[in-house]
């Protein structure tokens, strides 16, 4: 059970006589939702995954052609950044910067 809002009474719920546990964060359809409905943790996870993927592709020397690298970005990295952006809706400037940093890293490693 995840409780939303500040003034929530955080009641205990049960099903078939068993008390359901409480969680601060829940994953649904690949998106992490917190009780405070802040997207910061999810944006950080997506940003870290994008940076990791960027480093992985950069380490493959045979893929250093610009056209191949752009296709990798378009098909593998950008969809991760754009997935469920309507829910995340990064309101804070630092969340926007974290997502844009992945794009900056990728464009810096392109040859030419």
């Amino acid at each position: 059970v995840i409780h939303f809002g500040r003034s929530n009474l955080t009641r205990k719920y049960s099903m078939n006589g068993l008390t359901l546990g409480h969680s601060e964060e829940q994953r649904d359809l690949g998106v992490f939702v917190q009780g405070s409905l802040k997207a910061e943790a999810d944006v950080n996870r997506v940003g870290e995954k994008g940076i990791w993927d960027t480093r992985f592709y950069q380490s493959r020397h045979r893929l250093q052609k610009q056209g191949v690298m752009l296709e990798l970005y378009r098909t593998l990295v950008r969809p991760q950044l754009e997935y469920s952006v309507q829910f995340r809706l990064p309101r804070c400037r630092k969340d926007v910067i974290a997502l844009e940093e992945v794009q900056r890293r990728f464009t810096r490693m392109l040859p030419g």
Side-chain angles (χ1 to χ4, degrees), residues 50-91:
I51 288 172
W52 187 89
D53 287 347
T54 300
R55 287 182 188 151
F56 177 77
Y57 302 133
Q58 186 179 18
S59 69
R60 303 294 181 240
H61 298 290
R62 59 189 163 86
L63 302 175
Q64 291 295 325
K65 294 180 183 174
Q66 187 171 1
V68 173
M69 295 303 283
L70 281 174
E71 279 302 312
L72 281 173
Y73 175 75
R74 286 184 190 134
T75 57
L76 300 174
V77 177
R78 191 168 65 182
Q80 291 177 12
L81 299 175
E82 293 177 352
Y83 179 72
S84 73
V85 75
Q86 295 83 7
F87 174 76
R88 283 187 205 115
L89 194 61
R91 294 175 188 94

